[in-house]
Amino acid sequence: MTDALHTLPAEYEISTDAARLDAARIHQWLSTDAYWAMGRPREKQDRAIAGSLNFGVYDSASGEQVAYARVVTDRATFAWLCDVYVDRSVRGKGFGSALVAAVRDHLEPCGLRRILLATADAHGVYEKVGFSALEDPAKWMALGKQ
């Protein structure tokens, strides 16, 4: 599910099977250790999971989830990649790049016009798999908290 440059160690796998998600762990990661989701209530996180295409990275032997990404998409023209999180115990080993590459590859057959994301500190992870800064950010607007 990932390209040759962005592969996971052999003992890990990526899945979009929602039944495998460890929702409690995802909530703990995001609400206590992710600057964009600090304090997010569990109920809100569960609703976000339910309304999204979810990706998990799992230890193949134990089934333990070690990373997560969520995509909000119409599967036709647009996608928003968000809540990308890699457990601190496996950071620095290429899990983030492999996960984002898997998201990109999974969405490729949809023929989306664009996949957007926002990051304050992980530009290099996303650039490795083809993301770039907006050419004309003045075209974009937002409603709500920025």
Side-chain angles (χ1 to χ4, degrees):
M1 192 185 236
T2 57
D3 59 44
L5 295 175
H6 309 290
T7 58
L8 291 172
E11 62 273 15
Y12 292 89
E13 61 188 343
I14 296 174
S15 174
T16 59
D17 181 357
R20 293 184 70 183
L21 295 171
D22 185 340
R25 184 167 213 187
I26 293 165
H27 175 256
Q28 189 272 329
W29 282 335
L30 297 178
S31 67
T32 65
D33 195 39
Y35 68 85
W36 66 91
M38 295 296 284
R40 184 182 289 168
R42 172 69 190 266
E43 181 273 331
K44 184 171 278 205
Q45 183 61 51
D46 288 348
R47 281 191 293 135
I49 289 170
S52 301
L53 171 60
N54 301 279
F55 292 77
V57 179
Y58 304 91
D59 179 299
S60 299
S62 69
E64 177 186 16
Q65 186 170 353
V66 298
Y68 174 72
R70 185 168 69 84
V71 178
V72 181
T73 183
D74 60 10
R75 291 180 173 88
T77 63
F78 177 80
W80 175 264
L81 173 60
C82 52
D83 288 346
V84 178
Y85 187 91
V86 176
D87 189 83
R88 290 183 175 274
S89 68
V90 296
R91 286 188 188 168
K93 299 176 182 176
F95 283 79
S97 294
L99 178 56
V100 174
V103 170
R104 177 200 62 202
D105 296 349
H106 184 89
L107 294 172
E108 195 276 328
C110 297
L112 303 175
R113 180 177 172 111
R114 68 182 48 94
I115 302 170
L116 292 180
L117 62 87
T119 185
D121 60 0
H123 296 76
V125 170
Y126 300 106
E127 288 168 346
K128 287 177 186 176
V129 295
F131 283 85
S132 61
L134 292 172
E135 287 182 24
D136 188 359
K139 287 182 180 179
W140 296 88
M141 299 179 72
L143 177 65
K145 206 174 198 182
Q146 294 187 47

